[in-house]
Amino acid sequence: MDGRDATHPWSVTTIDIFDQLRDRAAAGKQSVLVTVVNVDGSAYRRPGAKMAVTPTGEPLGAVTPGCLEDPVIDLAQDVAREGTPTIEVFDLTGDDDTWGFGLGCNGIITVLIEPLAASFEAVLDRLEAGESAISATVIASETSTLSVGDRSVFDGEGTPVSVDDHDVADQFGEALRNRVTALSPNGTERVTLDTDDGEVTLFLDGMTPPPELLIFGHHGDVVPVTEVARNVGFRVTVASARGGQAKAENFPAAETVVKTRPPELGGLVDDPTRTYAVIMSHNFIDDRLAFESLLDTEIPYIGLMGPRKRFEQMRDEFREEGRTFTEAELARVATPVGLDLAGSEPTQIALSIVAEALAVANDRDGGRLTTSKGPIHPR
């Protein structure tokens, strides 16, 4: 299975996994999808984490930092041969180390291992089209009519967009749709529903298209920003006011490279709810025009490269023209851009910028985990 670095499956993102699954499905090649569907206690990754495995055992992605990948790959190959989804529970809490020794997860991890089916391809199609999807997948069943792996896919409004032969959506009707519509974006939940034949447990998995990072600039410092952003899961667009610099080969980690006039930068924003922007052309006039264009959109984050006094100069010029900014507008602006990491190497600066954008995308402030209270991830 191809990837940006096939020798390090842990380094890939969910974007890579879904892209590869889509490509393999289009080519008629078999794949196995592994999804964490429950965690009791602590684990490196939470429910919804995914990896893909080819029938020959080539992994893409990882569901633990290496603790369980070997047995998961073995099980995935069994599933590829037999064609039947399965649930596997790995208990890493006890003294009896069935799965290895010195494991640091200290939790009970449940995974669904399934051949890539048409029902999940519906998820991939929606994400590629920029639409969210919620998968409702059977992970336990006391009935004869539903089995592990049976699935229906819903849109964000709770409308089924794909059902399997067993029609999970219709069997549970409003009871399931109400739980689906209540699920937060990218949220997960286990739901147990009653039928006349017994209980059925479903794993609800909300998936949204990846966040977009729009970078305005063309100098060399844009390159490490695109690389770090791509590595953490952003789809990256680089926009340049210099046509000679707007070439894909100059920014290989970017999904899209375009030439645009600075006042038209906001026109590149298709979905403001999941788009974050960084302005770094180092040209004061271009940056000012690009900044004003982005403020006319509803994107939640505009990172502006440069010192505070540069932005104050920009605000003074706007003020002279009768343009002032509301508190809500200023709350979306980050300048100087980035988290306070005190690094001066180009990649360190890029890490600081992307980390701030990622924190905003995840509704976090980017503080130190050691000073926070409660679990790292929502449970």
Side-chain angles (χ1 to χ4, degrees):
M1 186 173 288
D2 295 329
R4 285 178 294 120
D5 186 349
T7 62
H8 294 89
W10 177 252
S11 68
V12 304
T13 67
T14 303
I15 299 175
D16 299 305
I17 295 171
F18 286 173
D19 285 350
Q20 290 296 330
L21 287 173
R22 188 181 300 109
D23 290 346
R24 288 182 63 84
K29 297 179 179 179
Q30 187 181 16
S31 300
V32 176
L33 178 65
V34 181
T35 304
V36 177
V37 296
N38 191 49
V39 172
D40 289 325
S42 63
Y44 200 90
R45 303 195 70 190
R46 302 305 299 174
K50 294 174 177 65
M51 67 182 288
V53 183
T54 69
T56 55
E58 298 170 72
L60 189 72
V63 293
T64 70
C67 306
L68 300 175
E69 268 53 42
D70 286 345
V72 166
I73 289 170
D74 290 341
L75 289 166
Q77 289 179 277
D78 292 340
V79 166
R81 284 190 296 270
E82 298 168 8
T84 304
T86 187
I87 291 286
E88 189 70 29
V89 179
F90 298 93
D91 187 346
L92 308 180
T93 61
D95 295 330
D96 181 15
D97 253 337
T98 303
W99 300 105
F101 58 91
L103 301 181
C105 294
N106 298 317
I108 302 173
I109 303 170
T110 304
V111 296
L112 167 66
I113 307 172
E114 58 178 325
L116 184 66
S119 59
F120 197 83
E121 289 181 37
V123 172
L124 301 178
D125 290 342
R126 286 189 61 81
L127 296 179
E128 186 178 29
E131 303 288 344
S132 63
I134 300 170
S135 171
T137 309
V138 176
I139 58 174
S141 175
E142 296 177 351
T143 76
S144 58
T145 56
L146 290 173
S147 302
V148 169
D150 289 340
R151 170 186 290 114
S152 286
V153 178
F154 299 79
D155 64 15
E157 303 300 320
T159 301
V161 296
S162 174
V163 295
D164 60 21
D165 293 339
H166 301 279
D167 214 347
V168 172
D170 278 353
Q171 289 214 30
F172 296 109
E174 286 300 312
L176 177 56
R177 290 186 181 90
N178 290 339
R179 301 298 287 267
V180 165
T181 55
L183 193 71
S184 62
N186 292 314
T188 64
E189 183 183 10
R190 281 188 308 161
V191 176
T192 299
L193 300 174
D194 291 321
T195 73
D196 292 338
D197 298 326
E199 291 184 339
V200 174
T201 300
L202 302 164
F203 178 64
L204 305 187
D205 189 3
M207 290 162 277
T208 59
E212 305 274 350
L213 187 67
L214 173 59
I215 304 172
F216 179 68
H218 63 272
H219 293 288
D221 59 344
V222 171
V223 175
V225 177
T226 65
E227 292 173 345
V228 174
R230 182 62 179 81
N231 284 336
V232 303
F234 283 100
R235 285 207 187 276
V236 183
T237 295
V238 174
S240 171
R242 307 294 182 265
Q245 299 296 323
K247 297 178 180 178
E249 58 266 29
N250 292 345
F251 310 100
E255 180 84 5
T256 307
V257 180
V258 298
K259 177 183 180 301
T260 187
R261 295 176 61 248
E264 298 170 356
L265 184 63
L268 299 178
V269 178
D270 293 325
D271 184 350
T273 62
R274 58 183 180 88
T275 301
Y276 308 84
V278 177
I279 300 173
M280 49 189 304
S281 79
H282 304 287
N283 180 293
F284 183 86
I285 296 175
D286 284 353
D287 281 1
R288 183 189 158 189
L289 292 170
F291 173 75
E292 186 172 27
S293 178
L294 288 174
L295 268 186
D296 289 338
T297 72
E298 296 181 359
I299 64 173
Y301 173 86
I302 304 171
L304 180 61
M305 180 76 82
R308 289 183 180 85
K309 63 181 181 181
R310 186 172 186 266
F311 184 55
E312 289 304 317
Q313 179 187 348
M314 193 177 291
R315 290 185 66 183
D316 288 342
E317 292 190 6
F318 278 122
R319 194 177 296 112
E320 291 172 2
E321 298 170 1
R323 174 72 158 96
T324 57
F325 305 115
T326 67
E327 289 299 319
E329 287 176 322
L330 292 175
R332 297 155 55 201
V333 181
T335 186
V337 63
L339 298 183
D340 184 10
L341 305 183
S344 60
E345 297 286 348
T347 301
Q348 294 172 348
I349 295 170
L351 176 62
S352 167
I353 293 170
V354 175
E356 183 177 53
L358 183 64
V360 173
N362 290 331
D363 196 26
R364 297 295 182 95
D365 61 11
R368 298 184 67 192
L369 289 174
T370 190
T371 61
S372 66
K373 296 180 180 180
I376 297 173
H377 302 288
R379 297 185 181 179

